[in-house]
Each structure stands twice: as C-alpha cells, then as structure tokens.
Amino acid sequence: MRRGIQRMTAVIAGALLVGSAVPASAATDLAAGNWWYDNTGVREAQATVTGDGVTIAVVDSSVNVEAPALVGANIRQGGVDACPDGTPVQVISDDPGSRHGTDVSTVIVGNGQPVGGNPGIQGVAPGAEVLVYSLGTDETDSGESWLTTPCPDDSTGYMVSIVQDAVASGADILILTGALNGESATALLQAIKAGVIVIAGNPNDSVMSGPPNPLSPQAYQFNGVVSVENFGPEGERDDPVVGPWVSIVAPGGSFLTYQPGEDLSWSEPMIGGASNSLAMPFVAGALALVMEAYPEATPNQVLQSLVHTASHAQPDPVHTDEEGWGRIDVPRLMATDPTQFPDENPLIRDDGIPAPAMYEEGVFSDEFGPYPLEPVTPGDESAADGQTGAGPLAGLPVLPIALAALGVLVVIGVVVLIVVLATRRRGPTAPGR
C-alpha cells in the first residue's frame, strides 16, 4: 500500500458551528430550528415510513450515543476502530470533540425527545441504522470545525479500511468527507459500483472550493457522488459553492442542535448558520425513506428519482452549476416510484473525476499508476477482514496462520503422548529416590 501520496485532511463542509448559542429560555426560537420537519414534508412522509431496514454509514467525528437527542437511536460502531498500524481510534465517545458526528447523526435518527425542557430533534429517518466511523475529534477554532485523519502515517489505508468495511457491513448510504487518492479513491469508486449511495457536502465557504484535483478529488467533487448544498428556512443560500459537480440543494441552514456545553450535558441548544454538514444527513435520511417505501428500487433508480423529482425537473431534469438538479422535493420524491427509471447512476458525468472509464475498469489511477483492490460485495464480511486495521493480526492471511497453529498443536500432542508412554513403561517412582 502506497503511503503519503497526499495526506488526507478532512475539512468538514464549512463551519457547522457558525452562529451563536440561543438561550435555553427562548423556546419559541428553538422550535423554529426544526423548521425543516414540517416545511419540507418529512413529518408527512414519516406517517408511513421511517427508514427501517436501511443502513447509513457516517464517516465523521466520533459520536456520543449517550447524548440526550440520540438515546435509544439505532447506532452501532463500524468495524474499524484502529489505524492500519494498530493505533486505536475513538469511534463512540462522549468527548466534546464528538459534537460534529453527533449532530450529523441526530439529523438522521434523532429521537425527538425534549432536551433539558427544550424542543427535541426528530431525525429524518429515525428507523434507520447508523453505522459510525471516526475521522477523529472535532477541533473548533474561530467558529470553524476541522477534522484530520487519526492515522497520519497511512491515511489512505485507513480510508480504504472504512469504505470497504462499510460495503461489507451492508451500508446502503455512505456519508463521507475528505480527499481521496490512489487506493482510497478506488475503494470509493468500487463502493459506488457495488450499489452504495455516497453523499458529501460542499464547503460552507465558497473560497475553500476550487477545481477538482485529478489526482486527489474531494469527496464532494467525486464523480458519481451526491454533492450537497444547503438552503435555509426562507429558501436563502449563504455563499454557495458553484460547480458542475453540485447535485442537489437541501435544508441545512438554521437547524437546532445540542452542544456539549461546559457541564458536558450535551443539552446546550444552538441555532446554527448555513451548514452543508447538516444538509448531507437530511438527504441521506430522505433517501432512506424512499428505500423503505420502494424496496424493489435499485440504488441507481433511487438516485434517478432524486434527480427527476427535484425542482429543476420541469418536466425533464435540468442541471446547473449553481443548484445542480435543483432543490430536493420530499413529497414528490415519496410519491414517485423509482423503478420506472433506468438502473444507471445519473450523477456520473463524462467530464468528471474519476472518469467513466475508471468506473468500467473498477480502478482509480494517478501519476504512479493503478492501485487495484479486490472489490468488496455488500454483506461479504470476510472481504474486509484484512482491511480494518482493527488489531495486531489485521490483514494477515487467515489460512496459513490456522494451519501453523494446528501444526503446533499436533507436535505438542505427540510429545505429551511419548512422555505418557515412557512413564508407564518405567512404572511408579519410589518415594525418596
């Protein structure tokens, strides 16, 4: 595995923590932070589906499953909790640095229960399962959130482990951020080919975005990925990223979240600013509702439905660099049977990176050449065993180790048998001799 081509630095899609905390007594204002639940048709959709049976993998900061907004939610740790060299990585944690992953998870599977006497947060797909992987803890500075890989010596290998484990664990949707290159880009490409819907948010600050790097594209610019932008309660957009990779615009601004607070109670309310980080899980949750409602639809057909029901589909889908295929329309999405559409990913562009030819070959290439990986199929747990870096034996061939162990046991048995037989031939030993 090649190391150090480009150390992955995952910049969380803009500043989740932009905005100021709202006093706990301002209950009316806090309730306004759940504007998206009624205004976008989510409440109506949840009358029949909740995302049950759908697994959403979240690759973000660690997550606090004991936060009041997540108590009782269906969240479990993915199979990667260590770097390829065996260094442990916190995945489930009540550390304050878990705030970003906790907020993202809450938008998907929030329990809706009041927090400290304030309004709760009902997730978009509360019946879904969230599979958690960690890019470390969320460090905040000047209102901006940053995540850097916890495995700087092999960030590419760590991302490969995560993506392949998510596929093998049966993830239907994968929320991801960061740059990918070589083997990690191949792993993501193969995940998409295997039928995993990948969602990534653009930076909140447009100056942080530029042309895609052909050797190391950001997840939100990765060809075939649902690249998300956000809008607020009045339909407003704050400093949006513009580019041919933009796929969909979804609710993400002025959301209510609960932060750890100085007492680490995870009950400090906050109304955030524009956040693509929260628009990502909104889209993931909405697609989970569709998947439950139309179980015969393929992942590509679900993406086709997302495109064909967005605001630019009048009547045929139209893409713009400013809004992608338009704004997500949850009622129309829920009312449309995806099986009527072709089983083709509508987000793979002819001029995108990776190129369509790379999807055909199943390998992403850079200036050093191809990095073939053995493709992983959903539910194939054994395929990810050597990729998780979950312990000192991770990645070692299982069969040779098993045979060697069996050989040692046979030798020990033979030695014991010889000793027993020799003892019997000599008879008992007299005391004192």
Side-chain angles (χ1 to χ4, degrees):
M1 180 176 295
R2 178 176 60 89
R3 302 184 182 187
I5 295 177
Q6 177 172 331
R7 184 167 296 177
M8 182 194 71
T9 300
V11 180
I12 289 302
L16 169 67
L17 302 180
V18 167
S20 57
V22 178
S25 60
T28 302
D29 293 335
L30 293 179
N34 288 327
W35 62 270
W36 51 271
Y37 186 60
D38 286 309
N39 292 13
T40 64
V42 171
R43 181 191 292 275
E44 180 183 356
Q46 288 183 359
T48 54
V49 288
T50 62
D52 183 54
V54 179
T55 298
I56 301 173
V58 174
V59 185
D60 204 282
S61 75
S62 50
V63 172
N64 181 11
V65 297
E66 299 300 326
L70 287 178
V71 171
N74 187 4
I75 301 176
R76 68 181 173 96
Q77 179 174 308
V80 180
D81 60 0
C83 300
D85 65 3
T87 303
V89 175
Q90 278 193 329
V91 180
I92 302 297
S93 173
D94 61 358
D95 184 278
S98 302
R99 73 192 84 193
H100 197 277
T102 301
D103 288 340
V104 169
S105 299
T106 300
V107 173
I108 302 172
V109 291
N111 56 31
Q113 298 301 309
V115 178
N118 293 314
I121 302 171
Q122 179 67 62
V124 180
E129 176 187 56
V130 170
L131 193 62
V132 179
Y133 300 90
S134 176
L135 292 178
T137 56
D138 170 24
E139 302 294 339
T140 59
D141 182 22
S142 302
E144 293 186 332
S145 296
W146 302 81
L147 283 176
T148 57
T149 174
C151 308
D153 291 336
D154 194 355
S155 58
T156 295
Y158 183 61
M159 185 58 76
V160 169
S161 299
I162 288 175
V163 173
Q164 291 197 326
D165 186 84
V167 175
S169 299
D172 300 290
I173 299 171
L174 173 64
I175 295 177
L176 183 69
T177 189
L180 300 107
N181 54 62
E183 288 175 322
S184 62
T186 292
L188 189 64
L189 179 154
Q190 291 181 347
I192 295 171
K193 286 191 64 173
V196 178
I197 293 177
V198 180
I199 300 174
N202 285 272
N204 288 344
D205 189 340
S206 63
V207 301
M208 296 177 65
S209 179
N213 183 340
L215 305 181
S216 183
Q218 293 288 334
Y220 66 87
Q221 296 172 323
F222 202 92
N223 203 13
V225 164
V226 183
S227 180
V228 180
E229 273 286 325
N230 80 88
F231 66 85
E234 303 301 325
E236 74 277 12
R237 299 181 66 199
D238 184 12
D239 193 21
V241 170
V242 174
W245 56 82
V246 176
S247 303
I248 202 78
V249 184
S254 299
F255 273 33
L256 171 65
T257 64
Y258 284 96
Q259 304 304 307
E262 293 184 2
D263 61 354
L264 298 184
S265 65
W266 292 81
S267 59
E268 181 177 305
M270 179 178 176
I271 302 293
S275 176
N276 290 324
S277 293
L278 300 185
M280 288 190 301
F282 181 94
V283 174
L287 295 185
L289 299 180
V290 175
M291 289 178 165
E292 182 188 355
Y294 301 96
E296 299 303 317
T298 67
N300 285 339
Q301 288 174 324
V302 170
L303 290 177
Q304 289 276 358
S305 190
L306 176 67
V307 166
H308 280 81
T309 59
S311 61
H312 288 186
Q314 302 172 354
D316 297 320
V318 175
H319 184 278
T320 69
D321 289 354
E322 291 74 23
E323 285 196 336
W325 299 100
R327 303 190 176 208
I328 191 170
D329 187 331
V330 174
R332 190 177 178 191
L333 184 61
M334 295 304 303
T336 302
D337 185 348
T339 60
Q340 65 185 286
F341 302 118
D343 187 11
E344 300 174 355
N345 187 332
L347 307 180
I348 296 180
R349 311 184 315 277
D350 290 339
D351 58 350
I353 303 169
M358 294 180 181
Y359 272 97
E360 294 176 6
E361 298 172 2
V363 175
F364 180 87
S365 301
D366 62 14
E367 79 275 22
F368 292 99
Y371 289 88
L373 293 172
E374 188 67 28
V376 176
T377 55
D380 183 9
E381 299 285 352
S382 62
D385 285 347
Q387 300 290 339
T388 62
L393 298 181
L396 295 180
V398 176
L399 182 58
I401 291 176
L403 291 176
L406 180 61
V408 171
L409 291 175
V410 171
V411 171
I412 293 173
V414 171
V415 171
V416 171
L417 179 61
I418 292 173
V419 171
V420 170
L421 292 176
T423 301
R424 288 180 177 178
R425 284 197 298 270
R426 290 197 302 267
T429 302
R433 293 186 60 181

